[in-house]
Short mmCIF file of all heavy atoms in Angstrom, two decimals:
data_model
loop_
_atom_site.label_atom_id
_atom_site.label_comp_id
_atom_site.label_asym_id
_atom_site.label_seq_id
_atom_site.Cartn_x
_atom_site.Cartn_y
_atom_site.Cartn_z
N GLY A 270 9.48 6.89 -9.18
CA GLY A 270 9.60 5.57 -8.54
C GLY A 270 8.77 4.52 -9.27
O GLY A 270 8.69 4.53 -10.49
N SER A 271 8.14 3.64 -8.49
CA SER A 271 7.46 2.51 -9.10
C SER A 271 5.97 2.47 -8.83
O SER A 271 5.47 3.09 -7.92
CB SER A 271 8.07 1.20 -8.55
OG SER A 271 9.41 1.09 -8.93
N VAL A 272 5.30 1.67 -9.70
CA VAL A 272 3.87 1.47 -9.60
C VAL A 272 3.67 -0.02 -9.33
O VAL A 272 4.31 -0.85 -9.97
CB VAL A 272 3.22 1.86 -10.95
CG1 VAL A 272 1.82 1.32 -11.06
CG2 VAL A 272 3.24 3.39 -11.12
N ILE A 273 2.77 -0.36 -8.40
CA ILE A 273 2.45 -1.78 -8.21
C ILE A 273 1.10 -2.03 -8.84
O ILE A 273 0.15 -1.30 -8.60
CB ILE A 273 2.53 -2.19 -6.71
CG1 ILE A 273 2.19 -3.69 -6.59
CG2 ILE A 273 1.61 -1.37 -5.81
CD1 ILE A 273 2.62 -4.29 -5.25
N ILE A 274 1.06 -3.09 -9.63
CA ILE A 274 -0.14 -3.41 -10.40
C ILE A 274 -0.63 -4.79 -10.00
O ILE A 274 0.18 -5.76 -9.96
CB ILE A 274 0.16 -3.41 -11.92
CG1 ILE A 274 0.76 -2.05 -12.34
CG2 ILE A 274 -1.09 -3.75 -12.73
CD1 ILE A 274 1.44 -2.07 -13.69
N LEU A 275 -1.90 -4.92 -9.67
CA LEU A 275 -2.51 -6.22 -9.45
C LEU A 275 -3.21 -6.59 -10.76
O LEU A 275 -4.29 -6.06 -11.05
CB LEU A 275 -3.49 -6.12 -8.28
CG LEU A 275 -4.22 -7.42 -7.87
CD1 LEU A 275 -3.28 -8.58 -7.61
CD2 LEU A 275 -5.06 -7.15 -6.61
N PRO A 276 -2.59 -7.43 -11.54
CA PRO A 276 -3.11 -7.63 -12.92
C PRO A 276 -4.33 -8.56 -12.98
O PRO A 276 -4.42 -9.52 -12.24
CB PRO A 276 -1.93 -8.28 -13.66
CG PRO A 276 -1.10 -8.92 -12.60
CD PRO A 276 -1.36 -8.22 -11.30
N LYS A 277 -5.26 -8.21 -13.89
CA LYS A 277 -6.39 -9.06 -14.17
C LYS A 277 -6.03 -9.89 -15.40
O LYS A 277 -6.27 -11.07 -15.48
CB LYS A 277 -7.62 -8.17 -14.45
CG LYS A 277 -8.93 -8.86 -14.27
CD LYS A 277 -10.08 -7.94 -14.65
CE LYS A 277 -10.55 -7.11 -13.47
NZ LYS A 277 -11.61 -6.15 -13.81
N ASN A 278 -5.39 -9.21 -16.34
CA ASN A 278 -4.94 -9.88 -17.55
C ASN A 278 -3.43 -9.55 -17.69
O ASN A 278 -3.02 -8.52 -18.22
CB ASN A 278 -5.72 -9.36 -18.75
CG ASN A 278 -5.31 -10.07 -20.04
OD1 ASN A 278 -4.19 -10.56 -20.15
ND2 ASN A 278 -6.22 -10.07 -21.00
N GLU A 279 -2.64 -10.49 -17.16
CA GLU A 279 -1.18 -10.28 -17.05
C GLU A 279 -0.55 -10.01 -18.42
O GLU A 279 0.29 -9.09 -18.58
CB GLU A 279 -0.55 -11.50 -16.39
CG GLU A 279 0.83 -11.25 -15.90
CD GLU A 279 1.40 -12.50 -15.26
OE1 GLU A 279 0.86 -12.92 -14.22
OE2 GLU A 279 2.37 -13.05 -15.83
N GLU A 280 -0.94 -10.82 -19.40
CA GLU A 280 -0.34 -10.68 -20.74
C GLU A 280 -0.60 -9.30 -21.31
O GLU A 280 0.31 -8.67 -21.90
CB GLU A 280 -0.87 -11.77 -21.69
CG GLU A 280 -0.29 -13.17 -21.38
CD GLU A 280 1.21 -13.14 -21.18
OE1 GLU A 280 1.93 -12.60 -22.05
OE2 GLU A 280 1.70 -13.63 -20.14
N LYS A 281 -1.80 -8.81 -21.14
CA LYS A 281 -2.17 -7.49 -21.69
C LYS A 281 -1.38 -6.38 -20.99
O LYS A 281 -0.87 -5.48 -21.64
CB LYS A 281 -3.69 -7.24 -21.47
CG LYS A 281 -4.51 -7.82 -22.56
CD LYS A 281 -4.50 -6.82 -23.75
CE LYS A 281 -5.39 -7.34 -24.86
NZ LYS A 281 -5.01 -6.76 -26.15
N VAL A 282 -1.27 -6.50 -19.67
CA VAL A 282 -0.54 -5.47 -18.91
C VAL A 282 0.91 -5.45 -19.38
O VAL A 282 1.50 -4.38 -19.68
CB VAL A 282 -0.62 -5.69 -17.38
CG1 VAL A 282 0.31 -4.78 -16.63
CG2 VAL A 282 -2.04 -5.55 -16.89
N LYS A 283 1.50 -6.64 -19.54
CA LYS A 283 2.88 -6.73 -19.99
C LYS A 283 3.05 -6.10 -21.38
O LYS A 283 4.00 -5.36 -21.64
CB LYS A 283 3.35 -8.19 -20.00
CG LYS A 283 3.73 -8.66 -18.60
CD LYS A 283 3.77 -10.15 -18.39
CE LYS A 283 4.50 -10.99 -19.34
NZ LYS A 283 4.40 -12.44 -18.99
N GLU A 284 2.13 -6.42 -22.22
CA GLU A 284 2.16 -5.90 -23.61
C GLU A 284 2.12 -4.34 -23.62
O GLU A 284 2.90 -3.72 -24.32
CB GLU A 284 0.91 -6.45 -24.31
CG GLU A 284 0.92 -6.46 -25.80
CD GLU A 284 -0.43 -6.96 -26.29
OE1 GLU A 284 -0.82 -8.10 -25.95
OE2 GLU A 284 -1.13 -6.18 -26.96
N ILE A 285 1.23 -3.80 -22.78
CA ILE A 285 1.10 -2.33 -22.72
C ILE A 285 2.41 -1.70 -22.22
O ILE A 285 2.90 -0.72 -22.79
CB ILE A 285 -0.09 -1.93 -21.82
CG1 ILE A 285 -1.38 -2.30 -22.47
CG2 ILE A 285 -0.03 -0.45 -21.46
CD1 ILE A 285 -2.59 -2.27 -21.56
N LEU A 286 2.96 -2.30 -21.20
CA LEU A 286 4.22 -1.75 -20.64
C LEU A 286 5.35 -1.86 -21.63
O LEU A 286 6.16 -0.93 -21.79
CB LEU A 286 4.57 -2.46 -19.31
CG LEU A 286 3.56 -2.28 -18.17
CD1 LEU A 286 3.93 -3.16 -16.98
CD2 LEU A 286 3.47 -0.82 -17.74
N GLU A 287 5.40 -3.02 -22.32
CA GLU A 287 6.46 -3.18 -23.30
C GLU A 287 6.34 -2.20 -24.44
O GLU A 287 7.32 -1.62 -24.89
CB GLU A 287 6.44 -4.62 -23.85
CG GLU A 287 7.22 -5.56 -22.93
CD GLU A 287 6.84 -7.02 -23.11
OE1 GLU A 287 6.41 -7.39 -24.22
OE2 GLU A 287 6.96 -7.79 -22.14
N ARG A 288 5.12 -1.98 -24.87
CA ARG A 288 4.87 -1.03 -25.96
C ARG A 288 5.35 0.36 -25.56
O ARG A 288 5.88 1.12 -26.37
CB ARG A 288 3.40 -1.01 -26.32
CG ARG A 288 3.20 -0.87 -27.83
CD ARG A 288 1.73 -0.73 -28.23
NE ARG A 288 0.88 -1.83 -27.78
CZ ARG A 288 -0.28 -1.67 -27.17
NH1 ARG A 288 -0.74 -0.47 -26.89
NH2 ARG A 288 -1.00 -2.69 -26.80
N SER A 289 5.16 0.71 -24.30
CA SER A 289 5.60 2.07 -23.84
C SER A 289 7.03 2.06 -23.33
O SER A 289 7.46 3.03 -22.72
CB SER A 289 4.68 2.57 -22.71
OG SER A 289 3.39 2.21 -22.92
N LYS A 290 7.72 0.95 -23.54
CA LYS A 290 9.12 0.81 -23.11
C LYS A 290 9.31 1.08 -21.61
O LYS A 290 10.26 1.75 -21.19
CB LYS A 290 10.03 1.74 -23.92
CG LYS A 290 9.99 1.45 -25.42
CD LYS A 290 11.20 2.00 -26.13
CE LYS A 290 11.38 1.42 -27.53
NZ LYS A 290 10.17 1.26 -28.33
N ILE A 291 8.36 0.60 -20.84
CA ILE A 291 8.47 0.74 -19.39
C ILE A 291 9.10 -0.53 -18.82
O ILE A 291 8.62 -1.64 -19.11
CB ILE A 291 7.05 0.90 -18.75
CG1 ILE A 291 6.30 2.10 -19.33
CG2 ILE A 291 7.14 0.99 -17.23
CD1 ILE A 291 6.75 3.46 -18.91
N LYS A 292 10.12 -0.34 -18.01
CA LYS A 292 10.78 -1.51 -17.39
C LYS A 292 9.86 -2.05 -16.29
O LYS A 292 9.33 -1.29 -15.48
CB LYS A 292 12.10 -1.02 -16.80
CG LYS A 292 12.98 -2.15 -16.30
CD LYS A 292 14.35 -1.59 -15.93
CE LYS A 292 15.04 -2.56 -15.02
NZ LYS A 292 16.19 -1.98 -14.36
N TYR A 293 9.66 -3.37 -16.28
CA TYR A 293 8.79 -3.92 -15.23
C TYR A 293 9.36 -5.23 -14.70
O TYR A 293 10.21 -5.88 -15.34
CB TYR A 293 7.36 -4.15 -15.78
CG TYR A 293 7.26 -5.21 -16.82
CD1 TYR A 293 7.08 -6.55 -16.49
CD2 TYR A 293 7.33 -4.88 -18.19
CE1 TYR A 293 7.02 -7.53 -17.45
CE2 TYR A 293 7.27 -5.87 -19.17
CZ TYR A 293 7.11 -7.20 -18.79
OH TYR A 293 7.05 -8.15 -19.74
N TYR A 294 8.88 -5.60 -13.51
CA TYR A 294 9.25 -6.87 -12.91
C TYR A 294 7.96 -7.61 -12.58
O TYR A 294 6.99 -7.00 -12.12
CB TYR A 294 9.95 -6.68 -11.56
CG TYR A 294 11.19 -5.82 -11.58
CD1 TYR A 294 11.11 -4.47 -11.19
CD2 TYR A 294 12.44 -6.33 -11.94
CE1 TYR A 294 12.22 -3.69 -11.16
CE2 TYR A 294 13.55 -5.53 -11.91
CZ TYR A 294 13.46 -4.22 -11.53
OH TYR A 294 14.57 -3.42 -11.50
N LEU A 295 7.98 -8.94 -12.82
CA LEU A 295 6.90 -9.79 -12.32
C LEU A 295 7.39 -10.28 -10.98
O LEU A 295 8.46 -10.88 -10.88
CB LEU A 295 6.80 -11.02 -13.22
CG LEU A 295 5.84 -10.98 -14.38
CD1 LEU A 295 5.87 -12.30 -15.10
CD2 LEU A 295 4.42 -10.70 -13.89
#
Side-chain angles (χ1 to χ4, degrees):
S271 296
V272 164
I273 181 162
I274 303 164
L275 180 53
K277 201 183 271 177
N278 182 335
E279 195 180 294
E280 286 314 308
K281 274 278 182 202
V282 171
K283 280 161 50 182
E284 200 183 300
I285 290 166
L286 296 174
E287 275 160 27
R288 218 184 304 131
S289 322
K290 300 201 165 40
I291 303 285
K292 188 172 161 194
Y293 68 86
Y294 304 98
L295 267 181

